[in-house]
Amino acid sequence: RNGEQLGIICEDNEYDFRLQEIRDMKEILVIKPGDEILVECNFQTLDRSGITFVSLFFYLQIFHCF
């Protein structure tokens, strides 16, 4: 807000795509006009020898969190 990050809303370093669940927030989060939400997804692909393709559906499902 106003060029300053307020904090991490949710972090899940053990996310399992096969187990999708809703996370209850511990407190109410107020999002104001002009605020930005950054969603990061990291994929571990070092064990693959070829290109990893990800579908648009996958991204829509992941980024539908807010």
Side-chain angles (χ1 to χ4, degrees), residues 23-64:
R23 303 292 171 98
D24 289 329
M25 306 302 287
K26 295 179 182 176
E27 57 188 53
I28 294 174
L29 177 67
V30 177
I31 300 173
K32 297 183 177 183
D35 284 353
E36 297 178 7
I37 297 175
L38 172 66
V39 178
E40 290 185 4
C41 295
N42 296 306
F43 301 98
Q44 175 56 270
T45 59
L46 294 175
D47 59 336
R48 300 176 188 176
S49 60
I51 297 172
T52 301
F53 293 98
V54 179
S55 70
L56 176 60
F57 175 75
F58 174 81
Y59 276 108
L60 292 176
Q61 198 169 26
I62 293 295
F63 296 130
H64 192 251

